[in-house]
Amino acid sequence: MTLSTSTRASGLVRRRLVAGVAAGFLGMGAALGSGLMATASAAESTTITSVVLGVGANETQRIVSWYSSADTAQKIQLAPTAEIVNGEFPAGAVSFDAVGAANTSTTGFNRHATISNLREKTAYSYRVGAEGSWSPTYAFKTQDFEGDYDFLFFGDPQIGSSGDRLKDQAGWEDTLKVATAANPNAELLVSAGDHVESANDEGQWTSFLAPDQLRQIPLVATIGNHDVGGKSYEQHHFTPNTDRSSAYYNGDQATRSGGDYWFIHKDVLFIDLNSNSYVNPADGSAGGDAAHVAYVTDVINKHGSEAKWKVLVYHHSIYSPASHATDTDNKQRREDFTTAFSNLGVDMVLQGHDHSYTRSYSIKNGQKENPAEKPGSADVFPGPGGVIYVTANSASGSKYYDIKKPDNTGTGIRGNGPDPLDPNKYWYNSVQNQEHVRSYVKVQVRGDKLVLANVRSGTCAAPNAAVEKGLSCVNTPDGQPVGSIVDNVTVHPFHGDGQAIQVNVPSPAPGEFGWTIDGYNGLVDLGTAQERNGTFFEATGKINPILVSDSRRSLAPWSISANVGDFSDAEKKFSGSYLGWTPYVLDGGAGAEAGAPILSSYDDQGKGLSVSSGLGAAAQGHPRGGAKLGADLDLKIPDSIAKGSYRTTLTITALSS
C-alpha cells in the first residue's frame, strides 16, 4: 500500500499582500457598498451628462460631479479596471452614494459623490447613475502616493468668447490632448478659471467638459469672473474642504458661485481662492481680500507642515502684462496679498485672467526680492518670503490679450513701471510672452525644486479661433512647433546658511507568505501494512516536510492545513478517514505552532484526514521568518479491506489574512 502527496499548484505558491491597503479597500466596500437604489421606472428615464472627475481632499480621493435629467437616487460604482470583464462590473464593485439638488441655471439636477480609500498605482473604472441608467464607463489611474509628480496648469479656455463655441472647444480639446499625450503621468489638471464666456450658458459648459481627459485626470477647478455670475460653476464642480460662507462670494450667494477650498496632493498644499470677492460682500459681512488672507493663514497654520510646497491658485493675475495689468482691483490685490503670502511662506501663485504668459521675478512683500535677478533666469533661488507668480496664456485660443507697454507709475507695490534691466517689460516680470498661440504650463514637483515650463500646444494654424477670425500670429511653426518651450525655470528652495539633507525612503516591501515542499516532492511510501491483533492493518510514515516563509510587515496570522480523498486501487476504494497524523515543528520560526493530532477513524470513529486538519499555524503579531513543519502519518484500516496497492492525494492549503 502506498501514499502519495501533491499540492494544488506545483512549486512555490504565494499570495502577495500589501499591508493595510487591500484591507482598506475591502473595508470601504463593506461600509459604503449599499448605496441608494432608484426605482426601475425612474432610472430608465434618467439621462446622465456632464461627468467630470474632480480632485479630492488627498491622493486617496476623487470627487465626481454630473448632471441628471431626473431627480433619482444615484451613485458612483467603482472597481479596479482589471476586474472589469466584457464591460461588466464585478459583484464586489463598491458604490458611493451621490447627493445633489435641482439645477438653478438650467433644467435637470446636479449630483456629486466622493470616491475614497483609493489604492496607489492602481487603474480604476467607474460609472455614475443607477441600475438601468448608467453613464458610460470611464477610467483613471492612481500613481505612487509619495514622491515626485507633475501637474499641468491651463489658462482661461473661456469657451464662447471668440463668438464660435465649437472652434473654442476644438482648441481646448487639442490643448488637453497635446498636453496629456506629452505628459501621460501628469496627476492633476489645474484650471486658472474662466471656463466659459457666459456663466449659465450650458452649451458652453458642454463644450468645456467635452474632452475625455476631464474624466480621466482630476481637475482642480478655479472660478473666474466669467464663471461667477450664476450657479453653473458650483453645479458642475464640487470641491473639497470648501468654505462657502458669504465672504467668499461676489454679490448674492444665492445666485452666484464662489467659495475658497484647499487640498493636499503628495508634497503640495494647494489653496484655491475665489478672487472675484475682493471687497466687502453686499451683505456687509467682513470679506473680500481680508477674508482670503485669513483663510490662507488658517489653512497654512493648520496644514502647512504636512507638505513641502505651498501653491495658491486664483483667477485674477496681479502681475500680468496685458489688458488687466493696470486694473484697479489687481493693484489692490497686490497691496492686500503680497506681504501676507511672503510671510506665510507661499512658494508659487498660479493665475489667469489676462490671456498671456508671465513668470514674475521672486517677489517679497510686493517688491522684487533681489534687484540683481536677471530677466529670464533659468534658475531662481528665492530667499525667505520670495514668491513666484505665474500667469497662464489661453489654453483654447478663444481670446488673447496683447502685452502693454510699461507706464510711468514706478516700481512700487501698485506701480506698472519698466524693469530697470529690460525697459520693454514691467518691473515685476522676469518673462512676458504673447504669440497668439495656445499654450499650457507644466509644473514638476520634486523634493528639492519646482520646475516650471510654458509649453506651446498649438501654432498659428487651426484650431486657433482668435487667429482664424483675423488676429495676427507671430509664431513660426518650423522654429516653434507644438511641444516647444516658451519659458523654463527651476525654482530652488531656500536653505539659509546650513546644508539641507534629504533622503527618499521608498515604500517598504510588502513581504510575502508562502510554502513549498522541502526538497524533492517524492512519493510518501508507507510500505506494506502490518496486521495487528488479527483485527486491522496499520502503516506509518512521514510527510515530506513543508517549508513556510513569512516576510510580511503586517504580521498577519497564517495556517497550513491538509486533507486526503479516498484511497483507491482501480475500482477498489476505502475512506481517507482511516488516515491520521501527529504534526510537529522541525524548525521553529514565523511563530509556527504544530496542529493538534488527528486520530484514524478506526480509533475514534471520526473523520480523520478526510476533512481539512491543521498542520501548523501562527497568530497575529508573530515574528517574521521561516519554519519547517512535519507530521507522522498513522493509517489503520479494517482487515476486511481487499488486497491491493492504494493511493490518495494529500491536498495542502495555506490561509492568511
Side-chain angles (χ1 to χ4, degrees):
M1 188 182 313
T2 57
L3 172 69
S4 66
T5 66
S6 69
T7 66
R8 286 185 175 176
S10 60
L12 180 63
V13 179
R14 293 190 176 106
R15 175 182 296 168
R16 301 182 66 88
L17 297 174
V18 179
V21 177
F25 182 72
L26 295 175
M28 176 186 66
L32 302 174
S34 58
L36 294 175
M37 300 300 294
T39 62
S41 60
E44 290 169 0
S45 64
T46 303
T47 301
I48 304 298
T49 58
S50 300
V51 178
V52 57
L53 181 68
V55 71
N58 55 46
E59 309 85 18
T60 71
Q61 292 186 355
R62 303 287 187 271
I63 298 176
V64 183
S65 303
W66 66 94
Y67 273 10
S68 166
S69 64
D71 191 14
T72 58
Q74 295 169 33
K75 59 188 175 182
I76 300 174
Q77 193 172 51
L78 177 82
T81 300
E83 297 179 11
I84 305 294
V85 179
N86 297 324
E88 295 296 324
F89 279 67
V94 295
S95 296
F96 305 89
D97 294 339
V99 297
N103 289 329
T104 61
S105 59
T106 184
T107 58
F109 304 85
N110 59 83
R111 294 286 185 268
H112 70 267
T114 300
I115 298 171
S116 58
N117 293 316
L118 293 169
R119 295 177 292 190
E120 62 182 352
K121 294 181 286 189
T122 303
Y124 288 100
S125 292
Y126 71 98
R127 59 186 181 181
V128 305
E131 298 298 335
S133 63
W134 290 114
S135 71
T137 297
Y138 307 108
F140 66 88
K141 183 179 180 180
T142 60
Q143 307 291 341
D144 195 318
F145 286 170
E146 297 289 342
D148 299 343
Y149 75 100
D150 302 343
F151 68 85
L152 308 178
F153 176 53
F154 300 92
D156 311 37
Q158 205 167 327
I159 304 298
S161 64
S162 74
D164 191 323
R165 174 175 64 86
L166 295 182
K167 285 185 181 294
D168 298 346
Q169 174 183 330
W172 171 232
E173 287 185 298
D174 194 60
T175 287
L176 285 181
K177 178 181 178 182
V178 166
T180 55
N183 304 280
N185 293 320
E187 298 190 26
L188 301 172
L189 307 177
V190 181
S191 149
D194 275 4
H195 297 171
V196 295
E197 169 73 8
S198 302
N200 288 331
D201 188 322
E202 287 298 332
Q204 294 173 8
W205 280 106
T206 297
S207 290
F208 171 77
L209 295 171
D212 290 338
Q213 291 83 0
L214 297 182
R215 283 159 289 283
Q216 300 166 348
I217 306 170
L219 174 69
V220 182
T222 302
I223 189 167
N225 58 295
H226 284 266
D227 307 317
V228 76
K231 302 306 285 186
S232 288
Y233 173 89
E234 289 184 0
Q235 292 166 182
H236 283 296
H237 303 298
F238 193 85
T239 52
N241 300 319
T242 305
D243 189 330
R244 294 184 174 84
S245 57
S246 61
Y248 308 112
Y249 282 79
N250 176 27
D252 189 348
Q253 187 174 355
T255 58
R256 292 197 167 199
S257 294
D260 287 4
Y261 71 96
W262 67 273
F263 66 96
I264 293 176
H265 190 83
K266 294 163 79 162
D267 282 336
V268 179
L269 169 62
F270 287 91
I271 306 177
D272 196 289
L273 307 178
N274 174 19
S275 57
N276 295 286
S277 173
Y278 78 99
V279 295
N280 288 344
D283 64 5
S285 63
D289 289 349
H292 295 310
V293 169
Y295 183 85
V296 173
T297 301
D298 182 63
V299 171
I300 289 178
N301 285 343
K302 291 178 179 177
H303 304 284
S305 62
E306 300 171 27
K308 293 179 180 177
W309 305 98
K310 304 174 187 68
V311 174
L312 303 189
V313 189
Y314 54 79
H315 180 65
H316 294 82
S317 174
I318 62 175
Y319 293 119
S320 63
S323 297
H324 294 300
T326 58
D327 287 356
T328 300
D329 60 324
N330 279 333
K331 291 184 177 183
Q332 184 62 49
R333 290 186 187 93
R334 292 188 208 167
E335 288 192 353
D336 295 342
F337 283 170
T338 53
T339 297
F341 293 171
S342 292
N343 290 339
L344 290 168
V346 171
D347 297 290
M348 185 175 289
V349 178
L350 303 177
Q351 311 155 114
H353 193 48
D354 219 11
H355 299 245
S356 53
Y357 173 75
T358 66
R359 183 245 296 183
S360 78
Y361 290 113
S362 177
I363 302 295
K364 180 177 181 179
N365 301 338
Q367 296 292 313
K368 184 178 179 182
E369 179 193 7
N370 177 9
E373 183 186 338
K374 300 296 184 183
S377 294
D379 290 274
V380 178
F381 301 84
V387 183
I388 305 298
Y389 293 80
V390 178
T391 308
N393 186 31
S394 172
S396 68
S398 65
K399 181 192 292 184
Y400 303 103
Y401 290 147
D402 288 324
I403 293 174
K404 298 172 67 175
K405 291 185 178 297
D407 56 28
N408 61 0
T409 55
T411 59
I413 288 181
R414 299 177 70 96
N416 287 87
D419 179 3
L421 301 179
D422 184 356
N424 292 317
K425 60 180 180 59
Y426 294 107
W427 67 265
Y428 41 74
N429 282 333
S430 175
V431 177
Q432 300 178 167
N433 179 267
Q434 180 55 275
E435 301 171 358
H436 299 164
V437 299
R438 295 177 284 114
S439 66
Y440 68 94
V441 176
K442 174 182 178 179
V443 180
Q444 298 172 274
V445 180
R446 302 295 180 260
D448 61 339
K449 54 183 171 284
L450 295 175
V451 183
L452 180 147
N454 187 45
V455 186
R456 297 178 180 91
S457 57
T459 63
C460 293
N464 195 352
V467 172
E468 292 178 69
K469 288 181 172 291
L471 187 67
S472 64
C473 189
V474 298
N475 171 267
T476 57
D478 290 340
Q480 299 167 321
V482 171
S484 58
I485 305 298
V486 176
D487 177 39
N488 199 324
V489 63
T490 299
V491 181
H492 301 269
F494 178 74
H495 296 307
D497 296 329
Q499 295 188 23
I501 299 175
Q502 176 173 307
V503 60
N504 294 325
V505 179
S507 297
E512 57 188 23
F513 169 76
W515 65 271
T516 187
I517 304 296
D518 182 24
Y520 174 63
N521 187 19
L523 178 71
V524 177
D525 191 347
L526 301 184
T528 302
Q530 302 297 311
E531 188 173 12
R532 305 295 186 196
N533 302 325
T535 57
F536 66 93
F537 288 102
E538 183 177 26
T540 59
K542 299 177 183 293
I543 67 168
N544 294 316
I546 305 297
L547 294 177
V548 176
S549 175
D550 192 356
S551 60
R552 296 170 301 166
R553 298 177 64 85
S554 65
L555 307 180
W558 60 264
S559 64
I560 303 289
S561 58
N563 65 284
V564 297
D566 289 343
F567 286 79
S568 62
D569 177 10
E571 299 300 321
K572 297 178 289 186
K573 294 183 178 181
F574 64 83
S575 174
S577 66
Y578 289 117
L579 182 65
W581 71 0
T582 301
Y584 46 83
V585 176
L586 288 164
D587 291 331
E593 295 185 3
I598 301 297
L599 296 175
S600 165
S601 64
Y602 186 86
D603 290 327
D604 68 351
Q605 288 74 53
K607 295 185 178 180
L609 287 180
S610 66
V611 297
S612 183
S613 301
L615 175 64
Q620 173 69 44
H622 64 80
R624 286 181 279 180
K628 183 187 292 187
L629 307 177
D632 292 332
L633 298 172
D634 182 26
L635 178 70
K636 293 180 179 178
I637 56 176
D639 60 7
S640 59
I641 298 296
K643 179 182 179 181
S645 181
Y646 293 80
R647 287 192 179 187
T648 189
T649 297
L650 182 71
T651 301
I652 301 170
T653 303
L655 296 176
S656 183
S657 58

